[in-house]
Amino acid sequence: MAQMLAGFKSNMVGYDPSMHASDSTWQRWQVKPLGLRELLEQSDAVCVQLNYFSRYHGLLGERFLPFCSRIR
């Protein structure tokens, strides 16, 4: 994915609650791991893909949505 977006000078960032930031997978995918709040603050677009587990219920609710970047 990062290679496809290189022409747009995009930076790929990601968050995975089940994967540590030092996991080598991030480097292999060419994705910079961030905390959820940082990701929402810095991203122009977000794609959410996660299994429907009760532990993720409300993950992107009132607590984090106010941190989404806004067009100014």
Side-chain angles (χ1 to χ4, degrees):
M1 182 64 83
Q3 294 171 339
M4 290 177 12
L5 296 173
F8 296 103
K9 298 184 177 154
S10 297
N11 296 317
M12 292 290 294
V13 297
Y15 168 77
D16 188 330
S18 64
M19 188 164 44
H20 194 272
S22 64
D23 192 305
S24 63
T25 305
W26 294 111
Q27 186 177 13
R28 196 168 53 246
W29 289 345
Q30 300 177 351
V31 174
K32 179 183 175 185
L34 295 177
L36 184 55
R37 179 178 173 169
E38 294 172 294
L39 181 135
L40 293 173
E41 289 173 336
Q42 296 179 22
S43 299
D44 292 323
V46 176
C47 177
V48 178
Q49 301 175 3
L50 37 95
N51 294 321
Y52 189 75
F53 294 130
S54 60
R55 66 178 175 245
Y56 299 137
H57 181 75
L59 180 67
L60 293 175
E62 293 177 16
R63 181 173 164 210
F64 284 104
L65 288 179
F67 299 112
C68 291
S69 63
R70 295 177 174 91
I71 299 173
R72 295 167 203 217

